[in-house]
Amino acid sequence: MKMKHLLAVAGLIAAGTAFAHDNHDRNDNVLFRFDGGTGVQPFRSQAGAPVLNTVAGVPPGGAPWGLTSFQATIKTTGEIRARGTGVLLLGADAIGTRAGPRQVILSLFCRAVPTPPATSGALLTNAFNSQPVDLDEDGNFWLKGWLADGTGAAPPMNCGDDVDNRPVLLIRAVTPANPTTGTPAAPSAWFAAGFIAPKHGHD
């Protein structure tokens, strides 16, 4: 058990080193950087009544989930590196766990170009998905892969911006592949979301 813990820590240190290297990438090769995020709350208020907290057509997980830290770099080629920690249940009987062995997929949703005077366009529901990646027993994951839509295309350069027309990056559950039917793994409900990295540091 101790060796398993040491290997997990070593993996996170290696991920941090990779992100330190990413920070030296030329800005014109980076489409978006994310730093921080939030776990899902299954319900929100609409006209004074509770409704599912659906985002870009994606339903929420059935209970609140946590997210203690998140970083991601998405390049203009569609390459993504991401690291998340603490993706664990915050409710129900399995609180504090990942609710059993599972994987997650990251999905990027772009925004339409806003029509002035609006500063934010409509959120588009065409998802650019990553490959599935394991979520460990502490709710941590490390992803190095690619984002692509159903046609294999990478996110476009006009996917959004880092001011008010920000894209949405969801951390989602995975419906496992079915080897009998040949159906591939597919993303399902969202557990957490990343936030665009702040432009201004905190004093």
Side-chain angles (χ1 to χ4, degrees), residues 112-126:
V113 176
T115 301
T119 58
S120 180
L123 186 61
L124 306 178
T125 57
N126 180 43

Side-chain angles (χ1 to χ4, degrees), residues 104-120:
V104 294
I105 281 177
L106 271 60
S107 295
L108 179 71
F109 296 90
C110 299
R111 287 192 181 274
V113 176
T115 301
T119 58
S120 180

Side-chain angles (χ1 to χ4, degrees), residues 114-138:
T115 301
T119 58
S120 180
L123 186 61
L124 306 178
T125 57
N126 180 43
F128 295 88
N129 296 318
S130 73
Q131 299 71 41
V133 63
D134 290 339
L135 187 69
D136 74 17
E137 64 271 23
D138 296 319

